[in-house]
Amino acid sequence: MNAIFKNPDRRSADERWPQEGLRWVMEPRKDAPGLDGLLSWAYDAGASRIAFTTGHPVWIRVHGTNYQVTEHSLDEMEIASIANHLYGADGTARLQGGRAFDVAYSISRTRLDRLRFRLNATPIRSSRSHAANIVLRPIPELPPSLEQQRVEPGILDAFRPREGMVIVSGATGSGKSTLIAGFTMAKLLDPRGNHNINEGAAPVEYMLDRVKSPSSTITQTEIPRDLPTFEDFIIGCMRREPTDIIVGECRDGPTMTSAVQAAISGHVLTTTIHAADVPLTMQRIASLCPPDERDNVISQVAQSLRLIINQRLAISTDGRRTALREFLVFDSKLRTRFQQTNPSEWPALTRQAVDEQGQPYAAAIRRALEEGRITADVAALEMKELA
């Protein structure tokens, strides 16, 4: 990490981007010296988030702390040129029409040094007309291994079921996609894996088609560039005989219904959901089941669940962030209990099951403290959040 960002309590002019003044975009889709220069600098500084907003300076986030890195505020024309460079000629028109976009963006610094970013551009309300917020999040070339992510033995024993659903939940930026990518790498590198993996994401973060697997294959589809919806992706997967299907996010009823159908049809379906803990993940799953098919889909969900992991990040002793995880493995006995329980009671049943046979957050916090990954003050703060 760049030394100037090590102490968030001491701000200085050195935190500013040193090349401010470069033109953001010279020629859309071809040459963006200012944009690429700032992104490269922020990547080297360890930024997890780079934000461009109409009428505001550029801000970056380094290990949970925000820094303003330009003096200059971006005007409408600059935001428009950045949007058109990142998305295409109709990027600005899309935002002005009230539509967001999620894509990936890459920079080639040298023949062997390539940076990739996940980006979201969203129209926002502002005193200015046609305001937008564009956020880019760096993507490492390959995900850290499960060992590097300090994944618990209980998860390692359960993330490769023969069939059914594996769900990773948490807030935006909590490392859900990185954890799933770690699972995928473990499958690809297993000499006896024999997996055929189809991934659909918005966007695809880790490009894993270059990984030389001894026994497995992977194809990756970007939503909505390659296919319009996750539902379309899942339906197509069912015709390609995969062993594993990865859905970037279950965010609506049709996606959830299709995902459950895939999970009960002999596939491993891995996906993400936005929720604050494992019980709330179960509540969110139930809420995504379409009302007109609710009873049937709810029953199929209870039948198909194999593992739910909820993840959040805490400040670690090295000034970075470390993962804390709550998780629950669903054995046949537990799945039967859920099938026999009204979905309105699922959160309470889940909390009891997590405490009795899973790993609650309190145990994860104690473990991280014992391993020296977090300080006593951070542990106390995380425990207070649970309360």
Side-chain angles (χ1 to χ4, degrees), residues 14 18 63 84 88 97 130 138 154 158 172 184 200 205 282 314 342 349:
D14 291 338
H63 302 305
N84 290 339
H130 305 311
T172 299
T184 306
E205 296 195 15
M282 292 296 290
N342 189 297
L349 174 58

Side-chain angles (χ1 to χ4, degrees), residues 28-351:
R29 307 299 288 174
K30 291 184 178 180
D31 185 21
L35 177 64
D36 291 353
L38 186 144
L39 292 175
S40 180
W41 174 82
Y43 183 97
D44 290 338
S48 61
R49 181 181 191 270
I50 305 104
F52 300 81
T53 306
T54 311
H56 294 271
V58 178
W59 286 77
I60 71 173
R61 188 171 182 83
V62 181
H63 302 305
T65 301
N66 292 331
Y67 299 88
Q68 178 187 325
V69 295
T70 66
E71 293 286 347
H72 170 73
S73 295
L74 295 154
D75 61 32
E76 289 90 343
M77 293 297 293
E78 289 171 315
I79 285 287
S81 67
I82 291 171
N84 290 339
H85 176 73
L86 293 172
Y87 187 79
D90 61 340
T92 300
R94 185 179 182 90
L95 293 172
Q96 292 177 353
R99 293 181 295 166
F101 58 82
D102 293 279
V103 294
Y105 180 67
S106 62
I107 301 170
S108 294
R109 298 201 285 193
T110 67
R111 188 172 64 87
L112 299 177
D113 185 11
R114 185 166 173 262
L115 308 182
R116 297 187 71 250
F117 299 83
R118 174 178 185 165
L119 77 91
N120 170 270
T122 302
I124 61 172
R125 180 64 61 90
S126 170
S127 57
R128 299 165 179 260
S129 62
H130 305 311
N133 176 231
I134 301 173
V135 175
L136 294 98
R137 294 157 55 197
I139 306 169
E141 190 71 14
L142 291 174
S145 67
L146 298 181
E147 181 181 7
Q148 290 170 323
Q149 295 186 57
R150 293 179 175 267
V151 175
E152 291 85 346
I155 294 175
L156 294 178
D157 291 339
F159 82 92
R160 285 196 263 199
R162 184 171 298 176
E163 60 184 19
M165 294 187 76
V166 174
I167 296 175
V168 179
S169 61
T172 299
S174 59
K176 301 184 298 295
S177 297
T178 299
L179 180 58
I180 289 177
F183 291 160
T184 306
M185 281 290 292
K187 292 175 181 178
L188 289 173
L189 297 178
D190 182 356
R192 295 176 294 179
N194 293 296
H195 299 279
N196 293 316
I197 305 169
N198 294 346
E199 178 183 12
V204 173
E205 296 195 15
Y206 297 95
M207 298 302 300
L208 302 181
D209 61 314
R210 291 173 293 175
V211 175
K212 294 183 178 180
S213 172
S215 67
S216 299
T217 67
I218 184 168
T219 63
Q220 296 173 286
T221 299
E222 187 162 295
I223 312 297
R225 284 195 162 175
D226 301 322
L227 285 173
T229 68
F230 284 114
E231 182 184 10
D232 293 320
F233 164 72
I234 297 170
I235 291 171
C237 284
M238 299 286 279
R239 304 183 182 118
R240 290 190 279 160
E241 199 179 352
T243 59
D244 298 72
I245 300 172
I246 302 170
V247 175
E249 181 185 351
C250 271
R251 61 179 72 165
D252 54 40
T255 303
M256 175 57 72
T257 301
S258 299
V260 173
Q261 288 297 319
I264 64 173
S265 300
H267 308 89
V268 178
L269 191 291
T270 304
T271 190
T272 71
I273 287 177
H274 284 90
D277 57 25
V278 172
L280 288 177
T281 302
M282 292 296 290
Q283 181 176 314
R284 175 67 174 152
I285 291 169
S287 73
L288 286 171
C289 296
D292 57 338
E293 305 175 63
R294 184 177 177 82
D295 291 343
N296 186 40
V297 177
I298 284 285
S299 176
Q300 292 172 341
V301 167
Q303 174 187 343
S304 66
L305 281 171
R306 295 296 185 273
L307 171 66
I308 294 181
I309 306 161
N310 188 268
Q311 179 166 292
R312 61 184 65 171
L313 300 178
I315 299 297
S316 56
T317 50
D318 62 2
R320 298 173 181 268
R321 291 188 293 175
T322 188
L324 304 175
R325 301 184 187 94
E326 179 173 85
F327 66 88
L328 177 62
V329 177
F330 290 75
D331 57 21
S332 60
K333 183 178 179 180
L334 183 58
R335 293 197 297 272
T336 299
R337 289 180 65 189
F338 275 96
Q339 285 180 297
Q340 297 171 346
T341 302
N342 189 297
S344 65
E345 300 176 17
W346 277 11
L349 174 58
T350 305
R351 173 50 59 205

